[in-house]
Amino acid sequence: PLIRPLEADPAVGLTTPLIMLQKQPTVINAAGNVMHLTGLALCRAMGMQNGAQAGPEDVAAVSGAAFAVRRDLFEQLGGFDPAFFMYCEDTDLSLRARLAGYRCQCVPESVVYHDYQLRFGPDKLFRQERNRYLMLLKVFRWRTLMLLLPALFLGEVISWGFVLLRKPGRWHEKAAAYAYLLRHRRAIGQARQETQLLRQAADKEILGQMNWRLAFEQAGIEWLADAAHLIFDPPFFVFCWVIKKLVVW
């Protein structure tokens, strides 16, 4: 089933299965990934019961836990970006494929069981944040990034809040992500130029599949998630609506 959409539609470039939790086999781990306006990518439908997903359907990005990709597309994209190493590499690959004019689909008929645990190993925060910035800098036009600045600033407030509340000893990883961008600005500029050569899709199309609502629940603290939704959902909703109206390129 994972291969079938690739055979049926040449515009589908990547497919991802319904990924279930191995230890809770009726609970969804991911049905592809959703992408927030700030570039944060989170598991789509996480925690929902199997049967909740109809499909196949287009998604913002595939899950790196399990997916299929056209070989010629993978080679055209140059595979995964080696600068990423891990974290966000699946979203980056998906975004570059979409920039090249292809679509990503979740195929619920195909089922994979994932021995998943939410853990923070060494350098995870640094790699997640650095790779998120790299991905956005490579894919979007400069004028789009300028319009995204208010949402990106609010995203920084949230990520710093998460670090200081949950991982206060790792604040230096956030700072290290900023330092990396400054030190490697020439290499990032080169990667951006190479990515822009793929462009067959408009920024408007890519923004169309980005979400204004962050799944704060995936951080694991219910009361904090409720408070975060109350505070941050309204401004993100406004930012998303305005940006999608303004970006016509």
Side-chain angles (χ1 to χ4, degrees):
L2 198 61
I3 304 300
R4 206 171 293 141
L6 300 173
E7 295 175 328
D9 188 346
V12 176
L14 298 94
T15 54
T16 191
L18 189 62
I19 301 172
M20 310 299 294
L21 293 173
Q22 188 178 55
K23 293 175 182 174
Q24 295 176 273
T26 64
V27 178
I28 295 172
N29 176 203
N33 285 341
V34 293
M35 189 173 176
H36 188 255
L37 202 61
T38 58
L40 289 165
L42 297 165
C43 297
R44 179 172 172 264
M46 185 176 181
M48 294 176 67
Q49 292 290 317
N50 191 6
Q53 297 296 307
E57 56 185 317
D58 287 4
V59 292
V62 300
S63 170
F67 70 97
V69 58
R70 296 182 183 279
R71 180 181 179 136
D72 58 347
L73 174 60
F74 192 70
E75 291 174 348
Q76 178 190 353
L77 298 176
F80 290 112
D81 186 336
F84 279 47
F85 177 57
M86 59 168 40
Y87 306 118
C88 296
E89 76 285 353
D90 48 4
T91 309
D92 173 72
L93 185 73
S94 300
L95 276 188
R96 287 186 286 127
R98 289 175 52 206
L99 192 69
Y102 290 85
R103 294 175 9 240
C104 303
Q105 283 196 340
C106 175
V107 187
E109 280 184 276
S110 179
V111 179
V112 166
Y113 294 91
H114 187 195
D115 188 9
Y116 171 83
Q117 292 181 358
L118 179 62
R119 291 180 295 188
F120 270 81
D123 291 337
K124 180 176 180 178
L125 182 64
F126 162 71
R127 295 185 186 280
Q128 281 183 325
E129 291 295 273
R130 178 200 63 176
N131 294 352
R132 175 169 66 95
Y133 304 143
L134 288 177
M135 180 176 65
L136 293 172
L137 286 168
K138 288 195 306 178
V139 168
F140 285 116
R141 298 184 188 276
W142 287 119
R143 49 188 165 172
T144 304
L145 289 170
M146 292 301 104
L147 287 174
L148 282 169
L149 279 177
L152 294 174
F153 176 78
L154 193 56
E156 289 304 291
V157 171
I158 293 169
S159 58
W160 272 108
F162 174 81
V163 170
L164 297 175
L165 284 172
R166 296 292 307 276
K167 307 287 178 182
R170 305 182 74 161
W171 64 268
H172 61 280
E173 292 185 37
K174 278 284 290 180
Y178 300 146
Y180 180 95
L181 298 181
L182 291 172
R183 286 199 314 272
H184 295 85
R185 56 190 180 276
R186 290 185 180 177
I188 294 168
Q190 180 62 37
R192 174 181 169 80
Q193 288 180 8
E194 293 171 2
T195 300
Q196 291 302 311
L197 291 174
L198 299 167
R199 183 176 289 279
Q200 296 294 324
D203 281 5
K204 182 179 180 67
E205 295 174 53
I206 296 177
L207 285 169
Q209 281 191 293
M210 294 178 79
N211 206 331
W212 60 267
R213 195 173 192 272
L214 268 173
F216 293 110
E217 296 79 8
Q218 293 187 25
I221 304 178
E222 188 174 344
W223 69 267
L224 189 58
D226 291 340
H229 279 303
L230 191 64
I231 296 167
F232 297 112
D233 280 2
F236 274 134
F237 176 83
V238 172
F239 290 150
C240 194
W241 185 85
V242 170
I243 289 166
K244 288 183 179 182
K245 289 289 185 184
L246 291 176
V247 176
V248 294
W249 46 84

